[in-house]
Amino acid sequence: MPLISAGRHQRDSPPVEGGRWPVSVVLRPPADADLIHRLDEITAEAAALAGPDHWQTGQAGSAHLTVRALETYRSEVERTEPVIQRYQSAMHRAAAQTGPTQIEVTGLTLTAGTVMACAVALDPQADLFLDRLTFELGPDAWFEQPHGRRDIWYLNLLHFTTDVPDPQPLIDWVDKHRNTPLGQVTIDTADLVRFHHCPTPPRPLMRPEVLHQAVLRG
């Protein structure tokens, strides 16, 4: 039974030094893709059922598939930092060996702290980029190493931040969309991003800021 049924779901809070939402490498569908509009719409539907103040991560301009988190959160990040420059170089070396990837979003599920859109890679390129990036980062891949290799692709649509006053309609709605295909998209760039907490209603979120972009051109 989903944890929100008992009010025991995880709740995100604004990031703090050393916490979640760090500099990361992500894949983002192109801004003009039909999938972006569909994800934006279904994120708004989820938010209407969950209640106010939850972060609408799947909205246009935010939706992303995380390839790798690189460190813990810090409020000050400069593009000229040596470590940021090393991340960029590793991304370019990995991207030079990786082609564009086609992603399909196959339906929704509930996790301990999110409404998630499940995705599958329709070719080997996304996994190839993930593995090549890990290799090219070398010691800079330290943050995720204790957790092992990522083995699923997904986009979080809604991060819970507070109570869900009436969880059953949300549970039923997610269950109804568990096997609802939302679309396919080809992604030909990888982004190095940091996140900013943007709590302003009506659609609060952690907004990704693109620090660098690498073209998947292998």
Side-chain angles (χ1 to χ4, degrees):
M1 178 179 295
L3 292 176
I4 63 170
S5 294
R8 295 189 290 110
H9 56 280
Q10 295 176 5
R11 293 163 171 81
D12 258 289
S13 56
V16 296
E17 297 293 324
R20 284 168 41 79
W21 298 94
V23 173
S24 301
V25 176
V26 304
L27 299 175
R28 299 199 305 163
D32 59 351
D34 290 341
L35 179 62
I36 282 291
H37 303 299
R38 185 71 183 104
L39 291 171
D40 185 87
E41 292 169 354
I42 207 161
T43 296
E45 292 179 36
L49 291 166
D53 300 327
H54 305 288
W55 294 342
Q56 298 187 36
T57 318
Q59 64 181 278
S62 175
H64 62 275
L65 304 101
T66 299
V67 178
R68 193 173 191 93
L70 298 174
E71 53 185 61
T72 58
Y73 176 84
R74 51 195 174 99
S75 59
E76 298 296 327
V77 177
E78 298 294 337
R79 298 168 192 250
T80 56
E81 294 174 23
V83 68
I84 299 296
Q85 296 292 313
R86 294 198 303 271
Y87 296 159
Q88 295 176 11
S89 296
M91 287 174 63
H92 280 287
R93 292 193 299 271
Q97 304 173 68
T98 311
T101 183
Q102 191 172 24
I103 300 292
E104 180 177 10
V105 181
T106 59
L108 305 184
T109 192
L110 278 172
T111 75
T114 71
V115 176
M116 176 188 289
C118 305
V120 294
L122 300 180
D123 54 55
Q125 298 304 313
D127 287 320
L128 176 61
F129 178 69
L130 183 154
D131 291 332
R132 293 307 308 176
L133 178 65
T134 301
F135 175 80
E136 297 295 348
L137 283 167
D140 286 328
W142 64 272
F143 180 66
E144 286 199 8
Q145 282 181 341
H147 308 294
R149 182 184 183 277
R150 289 176 180 259
D151 58 2
I152 61 171
W153 292 103
Y154 60 89
L155 306 95
N156 281 317
L157 303 184
L158 199 70
H159 279 85
F160 300 130
T161 60
T162 185
D163 294 341
V164 178
D166 186 6
Q168 195 58 50
L170 177 63
I171 294 169
D172 294 342
W173 177 83
V174 170
D175 190 60
K176 178 181 177 182
H177 290 85
R178 193 168 298 277
N179 297 302
T180 301
L182 299 181
Q184 299 179 11
V185 69
T186 298
I187 300 174
D188 60 7
T189 58
D191 294 338
L192 182 70
V193 301
R194 60 163 305 184
F195 292 92
H196 299 274
H197 181 220
C198 300
T200 306
R203 307 195 73 183
L205 79 162
M206 289 294 296
R207 178 180 62 83
E209 174 193 353
V210 177
L211 302 174
H212 193 72
Q213 191 170 78
V215 178
L216 304 176
R217 56 184 174 83

